Amino acid sequence: MIKNLLRGAAALCLALTPLTVPHTALAAPQAPAAAEVLTLAAAVGQIPVATEVRDGYERTKFKHWNAGLDLGDSCSTRNEVLLSEAIESPAVAAGCKLTGGRWISYYDNQEVTDPGKLDIDHMVPLAEAWDSGASTWTSARREAYANDQDASTSLVAVTARTNRSKADQDPREWMPPAPEATCRYISEWVGTKLRWGLTADQGEADALVLYADGPCEDTLVHYTPAA
C-alpha cells in the first residue's frame, strides 16, 4: 500500500493515509513464457511441417556476434559462450582476449584447450532457420536468434571441424560423430525449433520421428518460447 505522510502542525504527530493509485499504475509486467518439458515424440509432433524456402538468404541478415549479454565486459556473444561453457576458465585479457582454458566439444567428445580451435555453433544453423520461418522475421529478431544466450542449448562451443562438417544441414543429413551425443543433439535441435517457432520439412520431420520412436524414445525436450 502506498501511504501519504501527513504532518499535524500543532501536535507534530504522524498519520498514515492510503493513497489511491490509478489502476494502470499497478498493472503487473507481462509474465515470462513458462518453460516446457515434453517427451521427444510429443515435442517432434508440435513442429509444423512445411516446405523450406532458401530464397533471399544471406548470412549477414543475422547480425552476429553482437556485444553479448554483459555490455560492460568487452566480450562478444562468441566469447561469452566460451566463458560460460569452459570446464576450466581461460585467462581474460584486455578486449576480452581469451587464452588457455579447457572445453569438451560434445559433438565429437574432444577436449580442447585452445579457444581459437572452437566454433560457436548455432544449434539450428542460420540458413536452416531462414528456410524454416526466420525469413519473415524482423532484423532485430534475427539478431536475437543469432545471439541467443537465454537458452543454453541455442549456441554451443564445438570443434571447428565438426561445426564446419555440419554446415547448414539438418538431422536427416548430419549428426554428431560421437554416438553418445545423438539423443542430446536431437532434443536440443527440437527444443530450439520449438523455442523459436520454426518449421521442419518432411524429410527432417521423418528423421526426427525415427529418433523419437527409436534410440531416443526416453529423451525429454526442455525449452522456453522466445519472447
Side-chain angles (χ1 to χ4, degrees):
M1 182 186 298
I2 301 174
K3 300 178 178 179
N4 276 340
L5 181 64
L6 301 178
R7 286 193 180 88
L12 297 178
C13 61
L14 298 176
L16 296 175
T17 304
L19 177 65
T20 301
V21 179
H23 175 71
T24 53
L26 296 176
Q30 184 176 355
E36 300 280 352
V37 181
L38 300 170
T39 65
L40 180 57
V44 169
Q46 290 196 11
I47 300 177
V49 176
T51 301
E52 292 185 354
V53 179
R54 184 65 58 93
D55 294 351
Y57 170 72
E58 294 176 10
R59 190 171 175 82
T60 54
K61 291 183 177 179
F62 293 81
K63 181 182 178 182
H64 69 289
W65 305 108
N66 66 15
L69 293 178
D70 184 350
L71 300 182
D73 67 0
S74 301
C75 295
S76 67
T77 295
R78 170 189 159 80
N79 279 2
E80 287 184 353
V81 172
L82 289 173
L83 288 167
S84 70
E85 294 194 4
I87 57 176
E88 182 179 305
S89 297
V92 184
C96 200
K97 179 177 175 58
L98 307 183
T99 54
R102 190 160 61 96
W103 294 262
I104 297 296
S105 166
Y106 94 80
Y107 287 4
D108 50 358
N109 197 29
Q110 295 296 304
E111 181 176 304
V112 181
T113 56
D114 178 357
K117 293 182 178 179
L118 291 163
D119 281 355
I120 305 303
D121 181 38
H122 292 93
M123 175 53 60
V124 174
L126 302 182
E128 169 71 19
W130 177 272
D131 299 350
S132 306
S135 61
T136 66
W137 294 351
T138 64
S139 296
R141 188 165 180 81
R142 286 196 289 268
E143 180 178 353
Y145 177 86
N147 297 275
D148 183 16
Q149 293 188 70
D150 290 326
S152 62
T153 57
S154 293
L155 302 171
V156 57
V158 296
T159 55
R161 63 178 173 271
T162 54
N163 182 48
R164 294 165 197 183
S165 171
K166 172 182 173 178
D168 61 1
Q169 299 175 93
D170 67 36
R172 174 189 55 171
E173 304 157 320
W174 185 91
M175 286 292 293
E180 62 271 26
T182 295
C183 293
R184 174 181 171 181
Y185 183 80
I186 288 293
S187 75
E188 293 181 358
W189 178 279
V190 171
T192 302
K193 286 241 162 170
L194 290 176
R195 171 170 168 75
W196 288 93
L198 297 171
T199 63
D201 65 22
Q202 189 63 61
E204 175 190 348
D206 291 344
L208 296 175
V209 168
L210 288 176
Y211 286 106
D213 290 346
C216 304
E217 63 180 346
D218 296 326
T219 300
L220 296 177
V221 174
H222 300 252
Y223 76 97
T224 302

Short mmCIF file of all heavy atoms in Angstrom, two decimals, residues 59 65 78 81 85 106-107 118-126 146 153-159 162-164 166-168 174 185 189:
data_model
loop_
_atom_site.label_atom_id
_atom_site.label_comp_id
_atom_site.label_asym_id
_atom_site.label_seq_id
_atom_site.Cartn_x
_atom_site.Cartn_y
_atom_site.Cartn_z
N ARG A 59 23.81 -14.68 -44.99
CA ARG A 59 24.24 -14.83 -43.59
C ARG A 59 24.26 -13.49 -42.87
O ARG A 59 24.00 -13.40 -41.67
CB ARG A 59 25.62 -15.49 -43.56
CG ARG A 59 26.07 -15.92 -42.17
CD ARG A 59 27.34 -16.75 -42.26
NE ARG A 59 27.89 -17.09 -40.95
CZ ARG A 59 27.46 -18.10 -40.20
NH1 ARG A 59 26.49 -18.87 -40.63
NH2 ARG A 59 28.02 -18.33 -39.03
N TRP A 65 28.68 -11.67 -34.37
CA TRP A 65 28.34 -11.74 -32.94
C TRP A 65 28.20 -10.33 -32.40
O TRP A 65 29.03 -9.46 -32.71
CB TRP A 65 29.43 -12.50 -32.19
CG TRP A 65 29.67 -13.85 -32.76
CD1 TRP A 65 30.77 -14.25 -33.48
CD2 TRP A 65 28.80 -14.99 -32.67
NE1 TRP A 65 30.64 -15.58 -33.83
CE2 TRP A 65 29.45 -16.05 -33.35
CE3 TRP A 65 27.56 -15.23 -32.11
CZ2 TRP A 65 28.89 -17.31 -33.47
CZ3 TRP A 65 27.00 -16.48 -32.22
CH2 TRP A 65 27.66 -17.50 -32.88
N ARG A 78 30.20 -14.56 -28.85
CA ARG A 78 31.09 -15.72 -29.01
C ARG A 78 31.91 -15.98 -27.76
O ARG A 78 31.95 -17.09 -27.24
CB ARG A 78 32.02 -15.52 -30.22
CG ARG A 78 33.12 -16.58 -30.29
CD ARG A 78 34.19 -16.30 -31.35
NE ARG A 78 35.40 -17.02 -31.03
CZ ARG A 78 35.59 -18.32 -31.29
NH1 ARG A 78 34.66 -19.03 -31.86
NH2 ARG A 78 36.74 -18.90 -30.95
N VAL A 81 29.92 -17.10 -24.67
CA VAL A 81 29.58 -18.52 -24.72
C VAL A 81 30.80 -19.36 -24.34
O VAL A 81 30.68 -20.33 -23.57
CB VAL A 81 29.05 -18.91 -26.11
CG1 VAL A 81 28.87 -20.43 -26.21
CG2 VAL A 81 27.73 -18.22 -26.39
N GLU A 85 30.81 -21.94 -21.10
CA GLU A 85 30.89 -23.37 -21.33
C GLU A 85 32.24 -23.98 -20.93
O GLU A 85 32.40 -25.21 -20.96
CB GLU A 85 30.59 -23.70 -22.79
CG GLU A 85 29.15 -23.39 -23.18
CD GLU A 85 28.74 -24.01 -24.51
OE1 GLU A 85 29.55 -24.76 -25.10
OE2 GLU A 85 27.61 -23.75 -24.94
N TYR A 106 31.05 -31.59 -27.26
CA TYR A 106 30.24 -32.80 -27.10
C TYR A 106 29.88 -33.47 -28.42
O TYR A 106 29.55 -34.66 -28.44
CB TYR A 106 29.01 -32.50 -26.23
CG TYR A 106 27.71 -32.15 -26.91
CD1 TYR A 106 26.88 -33.12 -27.46
CD2 TYR A 106 27.26 -30.83 -26.94
CE1 TYR A 106 25.66 -32.80 -28.03
CE2 TYR A 106 26.04 -30.50 -27.50
CZ TYR A 106 25.24 -31.49 -28.06
OH TYR A 106 24.03 -31.17 -28.62
N TYR A 107 29.96 -32.76 -29.53
CA TYR A 107 29.66 -33.37 -30.82
C TYR A 107 30.60 -34.55 -31.12
O TYR A 107 30.18 -35.56 -31.69
CB TYR A 107 29.80 -32.37 -31.95
CG TYR A 107 28.71 -31.32 -32.06
CD1 TYR A 107 27.68 -31.24 -31.13
CD2 TYR A 107 28.71 -30.42 -33.11
CE1 TYR A 107 26.69 -30.27 -31.25
CE2 TYR A 107 27.73 -29.45 -33.25
CZ TYR A 107 26.73 -29.37 -32.31
OH TYR A 107 25.75 -28.41 -32.43
N LEU A 118 37.88 -23.58 -31.43
CA LEU A 118 36.46 -23.82 -31.23
C LEU A 118 35.62 -22.88 -32.08
O LEU A 118 35.98 -21.72 -32.29
CB LEU A 118 36.09 -23.61 -29.75
CG LEU A 118 36.63 -24.64 -28.77
CD1 LEU A 118 36.55 -24.09 -27.34
CD2 LEU A 118 35.86 -25.95 -28.87
N ASP A 119 34.52 -23.39 -32.58
CA ASP A 119 33.48 -22.56 -33.20
C ASP A 119 32.29 -22.52 -32.26
O ASP A 119 32.07 -23.45 -31.48
CB ASP A 119 33.03 -23.16 -34.54
CG ASP A 119 33.99 -22.87 -35.67
OD1 ASP A 119 34.97 -22.12 -35.47
OD2 ASP A 119 33.75 -23.40 -36.78
N ILE A 120 31.50 -21.46 -32.36
CA ILE A 120 30.22 -21.42 -31.67
C ILE A 120 29.16 -21.78 -32.69
O ILE A 120 28.91 -21.02 -33.63
CB ILE A 120 29.94 -20.04 -31.05
CG1 ILE A 120 31.09 -19.63 -30.13
CG2 ILE A 120 28.62 -20.08 -30.28
CD1 ILE A 120 31.40 -20.62 -29.01
N ASP A 121 28.58 -22.95 -32.51
CA ASP A 121 27.60 -23.46 -33.47
C ASP A 121 26.21 -22.99 -33.09
O ASP A 121 25.82 -23.05 -31.92
CB ASP A 121 27.64 -24.99 -33.47
CG ASP A 121 26.67 -25.58 -34.48
OD1 ASP A 121 26.53 -25.01 -35.57
OD2 ASP A 121 26.05 -26.63 -34.16
N HIS A 122 25.47 -22.52 -34.07
CA HIS A 122 24.04 -22.31 -33.90
C HIS A 122 23.37 -23.68 -34.00
O HIS A 122 23.49 -24.34 -35.03
CB HIS A 122 23.48 -21.37 -34.97
CG HIS A 122 23.98 -19.97 -34.84
ND1 HIS A 122 25.10 -19.51 -35.52
CD2 HIS A 122 23.53 -18.92 -34.10
CE1 HIS A 122 25.30 -18.25 -35.21
NE2 HIS A 122 24.37 -17.86 -34.35
N MET A 123 22.73 -24.10 -32.93
CA MET A 123 22.14 -25.45 -32.92
C MET A 123 21.32 -25.69 -34.18
O MET A 123 21.48 -26.69 -34.88
CB MET A 123 21.29 -25.63 -31.67
CG MET A 123 20.53 -26.95 -31.61
SD MET A 123 21.55 -28.42 -31.84
CE MET A 123 22.70 -28.29 -30.49
N VAL A 124 20.41 -24.78 -34.48
CA VAL A 124 19.75 -24.78 -35.78
C VAL A 124 20.45 -23.71 -36.62
O VAL A 124 20.37 -22.52 -36.29
CB VAL A 124 18.24 -24.48 -35.67
CG1 VAL A 124 17.61 -24.34 -37.04
CG2 VAL A 124 17.53 -25.58 -34.86
N PRO A 125 21.20 -24.10 -37.64
CA PRO A 125 22.01 -23.15 -38.40
C PRO A 125 21.19 -21.98 -38.94
O PRO A 125 19.97 -22.10 -39.17
CB PRO A 125 22.58 -24.01 -39.54
CG PRO A 125 22.56 -25.41 -39.01
CD PRO A 125 21.33 -25.49 -38.15
N LEU A 126 21.87 -20.88 -39.17
CA LEU A 126 21.18 -19.67 -39.63
C LEU A 126 20.43 -19.91 -40.94
O LEU A 126 19.29 -19.48 -41.09
CB LEU A 126 22.19 -18.53 -39.79
CG LEU A 126 22.99 -18.15 -38.54
CD1 LEU A 126 23.91 -16.97 -38.84
CD2 LEU A 126 22.06 -17.82 -37.37
N ALA A 146 20.39 -15.11 -33.50
CA ALA A 146 21.80 -15.40 -33.77
C ALA A 146 22.69 -15.25 -32.55
O ALA A 146 23.82 -15.76 -32.54
CB ALA A 146 22.31 -14.50 -34.90
N THR A 153 21.02 -24.08 -24.85
CA THR A 153 21.19 -25.03 -25.96
C THR A 153 21.19 -24.38 -27.33
O THR A 153 21.40 -25.06 -28.34
CB THR A 153 20.07 -26.09 -25.90
OG1 THR A 153 18.80 -25.42 -25.94
CG2 THR A 153 20.16 -26.91 -24.63
N SER A 154 20.95 -23.08 -27.41
CA SER A 154 20.87 -22.42 -28.72
C SER A 154 22.24 -22.28 -29.37
O SER A 154 22.37 -22.35 -30.59
CB SER A 154 20.24 -21.04 -28.58
OG SER A 154 18.88 -21.13 -28.21
N LEU A 155 23.26 -22.05 -28.56
CA LEU A 155 24.62 -21.85 -29.03
C LEU A 155 25.53 -22.82 -28.28
O LEU A 155 25.40 -22.97 -27.06
CB LEU A 155 25.08 -20.41 -28.78
CG LEU A 155 24.25 -19.30 -29.41
CD1 LEU A 155 24.69 -17.93 -28.90
CD2 LEU A 155 24.34 -19.35 -30.93
N VAL A 156 26.43 -23.47 -28.99
CA VAL A 156 27.27 -24.48 -28.34
C VAL A 156 28.68 -24.41 -28.89
O VAL A 156 28.90 -24.28 -30.10
CB VAL A 156 26.66 -25.89 -28.52
CG1 VAL A 156 26.46 -26.23 -29.98
CG2 VAL A 156 27.50 -26.95 -27.83
N ALA A 157 29.66 -24.46 -27.96
CA ALA A 157 31.07 -24.43 -28.35
C ALA A 157 31.51 -25.83 -28.74
O ALA A 157 31.44 -26.76 -27.93
CB ALA A 157 31.91 -23.91 -27.18
N VAL A 158 31.94 -25.98 -29.99
CA VAL A 158 32.36 -27.30 -30.51
C VAL A 158 33.61 -27.13 -31.36
O VAL A 158 33.97 -26.02 -31.76
CB VAL A 158 31.24 -27.95 -31.35
CG1 VAL A 158 30.03 -28.25 -30.47
CG2 VAL A 158 30.85 -27.07 -32.52
N THR A 159 34.26 -28.24 -31.65
CA THR A 159 35.44 -28.16 -32.51
C THR A 159 35.06 -27.58 -33.87
O THR A 159 33.97 -27.84 -34.41
CB THR A 159 36.06 -29.56 -32.72
OG1 THR A 159 35.07 -30.46 -33.22
CG2 THR A 159 36.64 -30.10 -31.42
N THR A 162 33.92 -30.12 -36.59
CA THR A 162 32.56 -30.66 -36.57
C THR A 162 31.55 -29.61 -36.97
O THR A 162 30.57 -29.91 -37.69
CB THR A 162 32.18 -31.23 -35.19
OG1 THR A 162 32.39 -30.24 -34.18
CG2 THR A 162 32.97 -32.47 -34.87
N ASN A 163 31.77 -28.37 -36.56
CA ASN A 163 30.84 -27.31 -36.94
C ASN A 163 30.84 -27.13 -38.45
O ASN A 163 29.78 -26.97 -39.07
CB ASN A 163 31.22 -26.00 -36.25
CG ASN A 163 30.26 -24.88 -36.58
OD1 ASN A 163 29.04 -25.04 -36.52
ND2 ASN A 163 30.80 -23.74 -36.94
N ARG A 164 32.00 -27.19 -39.04
CA ARG A 164 32.08 -26.97 -40.49
C ARG A 164 31.62 -28.19 -41.27
O ARG A 164 31.11 -28.07 -42.39
CB ARG A 164 33.50 -26.55 -40.85
CG ARG A 164 33.80 -25.18 -40.23
CD ARG A 164 35.24 -24.77 -40.18
NE ARG A 164 35.41 -23.66 -39.23
CZ ARG A 164 36.55 -23.03 -39.00
NH1 ARG A 164 37.64 -23.40 -39.66
NH2 ARG A 164 36.60 -22.06 -38.11
N LYS A 166 29.09 -30.00 -40.22
CA LYS A 166 27.64 -29.86 -40.11
C LYS A 166 27.10 -28.84 -41.10
O LYS A 166 26.08 -29.07 -41.75
CB LYS A 166 27.28 -29.44 -38.68
CG LYS A 166 25.81 -29.07 -38.48
CD LYS A 166 25.57 -28.63 -37.05
CE LYS A 166 24.17 -28.10 -36.84
NZ LYS A 166 23.92 -27.70 -35.43
N ALA A 167 27.78 -27.68 -41.19
CA ALA A 167 27.35 -26.59 -42.08
C ALA A 167 25.89 -26.22 -41.80
O ALA A 167 25.55 -25.93 -40.66
CB ALA A 167 27.59 -26.97 -43.53
N ASP A 168 25.03 -26.26 -42.81
CA ASP A 168 23.63 -25.88 -42.62
C ASP A 168 22.69 -27.08 -42.69
O ASP A 168 21.50 -26.94 -42.98
CB ASP A 168 23.22 -24.81 -43.63
CG ASP A 168 23.34 -25.30 -45.09
OD1 ASP A 168 23.72 -26.48 -45.30
OD2 ASP A 168 23.05 -24.51 -46.00
N TRP A 174 22.92 -34.77 -41.27
CA TRP A 174 24.15 -34.75 -40.46
C TRP A 174 23.80 -34.96 -39.00
O TRP A 174 22.81 -34.41 -38.50
CB TRP A 174 24.86 -33.40 -40.60
CG TRP A 174 26.20 -33.35 -39.90
CD1 TRP A 174 27.42 -33.66 -40.45
CD2 TRP A 174 26.46 -32.99 -38.54
NE1 TRP A 174 28.41 -33.51 -39.51
CE2 TRP A 174 27.85 -33.09 -38.32
CE3 TRP A 174 25.65 -32.57 -37.48
CZ2 TRP A 174 28.45 -32.80 -37.09
CZ3 TRP A 174 26.23 -32.29 -36.25
CH2 TRP A 174 27.62 -32.40 -36.06
N TYR A 185 21.68 -34.18 -28.88
CA TYR A 185 21.63 -33.30 -30.04
C TYR A 185 20.22 -33.19 -30.60
O TYR A 185 19.73 -32.09 -30.90
CB TYR A 185 22.59 -33.82 -31.12
CG TYR A 185 22.68 -32.95 -32.34
CD1 TYR A 185 23.46 -31.80 -32.34
CD2 TYR A 185 21.97 -33.26 -33.50
CE1 TYR A 185 23.54 -30.98 -33.46
CE2 TYR A 185 22.05 -32.46 -34.63
CZ TYR A 185 22.84 -31.32 -34.60
OH TYR A 185 22.91 -30.51 -35.70
N TRP A 189 18.06 -29.81 -30.80
CA TRP A 189 17.57 -29.34 -32.11
C TRP A 189 16.07 -29.08 -32.06
O TRP A 189 15.59 -28.01 -32.45
CB TRP A 189 17.90 -30.38 -33.18
CG TRP A 189 17.42 -30.03 -34.56
CD1 TRP A 189 16.15 -30.19 -35.05
CD2 TRP A 189 18.19 -29.45 -35.62
NE1 TRP A 189 16.08 -29.75 -36.35
CE2 TRP A 189 17.31 -29.29 -36.72
CE3 TRP A 189 19.52 -29.06 -35.74
CZ2 TRP A 189 17.74 -28.76 -37.92
CZ3 TRP A 189 19.94 -28.53 -36.96
CH2 TRP A 189 19.06 -28.37 -38.03
#
